Amino acid sequence: MNPLRPDAPPPAALALGRLRESADSACRLLKALSNPDRLLLLCQLAQGEMRVGELEEQVGVLQPTLSQQLGVLRDEGLVNTRREGKNIYYCINSPEALALLEVLYSQFCATPTDSQA
């Protein structure tokens, strides 16, 4: 108990509250990554900004599924968009998502020669 602020929660409760918020954020991110189409989209975007048409080609996800999955990624704050003429470009907006993608790549996609480079 803090004698200067008797209404303040004890330190353990603060740590648990922060831990719960962090767990909630991690669960939202993992849920977004748990869809194969969204994961493929983010893997492509980890290489850099791409137009919607490029994503459609690279991932093989057709409309309206592509729009739906990009919408989920946008709603979760994992990607940003910008418009240039008729084109909409997407890029990753989440350092946490990018860090997880790097781990996933190293565990599931890297070849033995990738790790030697």
Side-chain angles (χ1 to χ4, degrees):
M1 182 159 159
N2 183 340
L4 300 176
R5 292 192 48 211
D7 58 336
L14 288 175
L16 180 59
R18 268 188 248 130
L19 186 59
R20 183 167 305 282
E21 287 176 20
S22 295
D24 289 344
S25 295
C27 285
R28 281 194 311 277
L29 175 56
L30 292 171
K31 184 177 179 182
L33 293 176
S34 71
N35 176 282
D37 291 336
R38 290 192 296 265
L39 183 57
L40 286 170
L41 289 166
L42 287 171
C43 286
Q44 291 301 314
L45 292 172
Q47 299 173 49
E49 182 182 70
M50 295 182 116
R51 286 183 297 107
V52 171
E54 291 172 312
L55 288 168
E56 187 174 14
E57 273 180 30
Q58 294 291 322
V59 178
V61 175
L62 304 175
Q63 298 288 347
T65 303
L66 181 66
S67 291
Q68 179 184 19
Q69 300 309 333
L70 287 170
V72 171
L73 295 174
R74 237 183 0 261
D75 291 346
E76 289 297 322
L78 301 180
V79 296
N80 273 342
T81 61
R82 73 174 178 89
R83 181 179 290 274
E84 188 175 296
K86 292 182 180 182
N87 294 310
I88 298 175
Y89 290 84
Y90 280 82
C91 65
I92 292 183
N93 182 46
S94 168
E96 298 84 1
L98 197 52
L100 274 176
L101 289 169
E102 290 172 3
V103 171
L104 292 172
Y105 180 86
S106 72
Q107 294 298 308
F108 295 98
C109 302
T111 61
T113 57
D114 288 343
S115 61
Q116 294 173 1

